[in-house]
Amino acid sequence: MSDAAQPTAAEVRAAAEAVKTALDRHLAAVERRSGEEDPAVYDAFNELAAAAEAYDELLYDRYDEVTPFEIPGEDTLPPYTGPEEPSALSVLIRRDYAVAEPQRLMAQARRVEAADEDAPGAGASGTVHGALGLLFGEFEPDEIASRHKEFGLEEGDSTLWVTAADESAEPGEWLEAPFEQVDPERVVCRFDVSAVFDEEFDDGDDDEDEGEDGEADLPDLDEDLDTDLDTDLDEDGESARLEADR
């Protein structure tokens, strides 16, 4: 950061005073709390976290120094306010993938075409979006998640939210916009998977897995599949392999 953009000493001092004020407000809210999930305590907590984060950033920019406080991430859920005994629930899942090997993806789609008489018109497997449609139409999302490398996909972040409801939705009620209007206060639990959670374990692990050339010394488990990518099997062979994969 340039000298011109650095905060002044007065700005850092003002941010420190804001943290002190937020601390007092948080303690007062805790002392007056009306229950385990008092919204006043929740609001005071967020104000304190925001003030502490602002002070930490200004302190670093001005003095190249940090505080010992760990600021909660933005994915912290608000207190649960849904029914104590839900009669219905929704499970919302998002999984991100990168198409790492398009040729592998399309090769798997060709196998589906060869074995499925009801598959879309010939040539759908010749494009990435057509191949994706074939594979996700043939395999369950959980199976694709467990076999993503076979389909030329690379995993990204994923999250699963379980939300409570008072009653089940009417058939077709939310199909036009299935992921809108999710109330975070009705989330019973959530499970997140991301590479950012593994970053702290990366240091020191790479050397143990590398060979003499600095590359991981792993067996080539995909050698047979790579050989098959440019090989057209007969229809019976395709059908047998597809059935075996299942």
Side-chain angles (χ1 to χ4, degrees):
M1 177 179 288
S2 65
D3 292 340
Q6 283 186 346
T8 65
E11 289 174 327
V12 179
R13 173 63 61 181
E17 293 299 326
V19 173
K20 297 174 185 178
T21 300
L23 273 170
D24 289 337
R25 290 176 177 172
H26 182 259
L27 177 58
V30 171
E31 291 173 337
R32 297 191 305 267
R33 73 190 314 162
S34 59
E36 292 185 0
E37 298 179 352
D38 190 331
V41 176
Y42 174 73
D43 292 339
F45 174 90
N46 284 338
E47 291 175 7
L48 176 57
E53 184 173 16
Y55 172 62
D56 191 80
E57 291 178 355
L58 291 173
L59 185 70
Y60 181 80
D61 291 343
R62 177 69 184 182
Y63 299 110
D64 196 23
E65 189 57 73
V66 296
T67 67
F69 309 124
E70 181 178 353
I71 308 303
E74 295 180 356
D75 60 349
T76 302
L77 290 171
Y80 175 75
T81 61
E84 289 299 322
E85 298 183 2
S87 58
L89 59 88
S90 294
V91 179
L92 296 90
I93 301 175
R94 172 172 174 170
R95 296 187 179 114
D96 283 4
Y97 298 95
V99 180
E101 299 180 72
Q103 294 302 320
R104 183 184 296 273
L105 175 76
M106 292 186 286
Q108 290 282 18
R110 286 196 297 271
R111 294 174 179 175
V112 172
E113 278 185 325
D116 188 358
E117 297 179 354
D118 297 326
S125 61
T127 63
V128 170
H129 76 272
L132 288 169
L134 283 168
L135 292 176
F136 277 87
E138 178 70 15
F139 300 100
E140 294 290 335
D142 287 345
E143 184 172 4
I144 290 180
S146 65
R147 300 174 54 191
H148 61 278
K149 291 184 179 180
E150 296 179 35
F151 301 130
L153 303 176
E154 181 178 310
E155 283 185 311
D157 289 355
S158 67
T159 186
L160 181 151
W161 292 24
V162 180
T163 63
D166 296 303
E167 57 184 18
S168 299
E170 294 294 328
E173 181 179 351
W174 47 257
L175 290 179
E176 292 185 1
F179 302 113
E180 289 186 358
Q181 300 177 344
V182 178
D183 186 353
E185 294 186 353
R186 285 184 169 244
V187 175
V188 178
C189 58
R190 62 177 290 179
F191 304 94
D192 300 324
V193 177
S194 175
V196 299
F197 301 143
D198 301 328
E199 288 179 355
E200 60 187 273
F201 302 109
D202 288 344
D203 295 338
D205 290 344
D206 293 340
D207 293 340
E208 298 178 3
D209 296 334
E210 291 181 355
E212 295 181 357
D213 297 331
E215 297 182 355
D217 186 15
L218 298 176
D220 189 2
L221 300 179
D222 296 330
E223 182 177 351
D224 292 340
L225 182 56
D226 290 334
T227 304
D228 290 342
L229 292 182
D230 298 324
T231 303
D232 290 328
L233 301 178
D234 60 62
E235 183 171 346
D236 292 338
E238 294 284 6
S239 301
R241 177 168 297 183
L242 184 61
E243 291 300 323
D245 286 344
R246 295 181 185 172

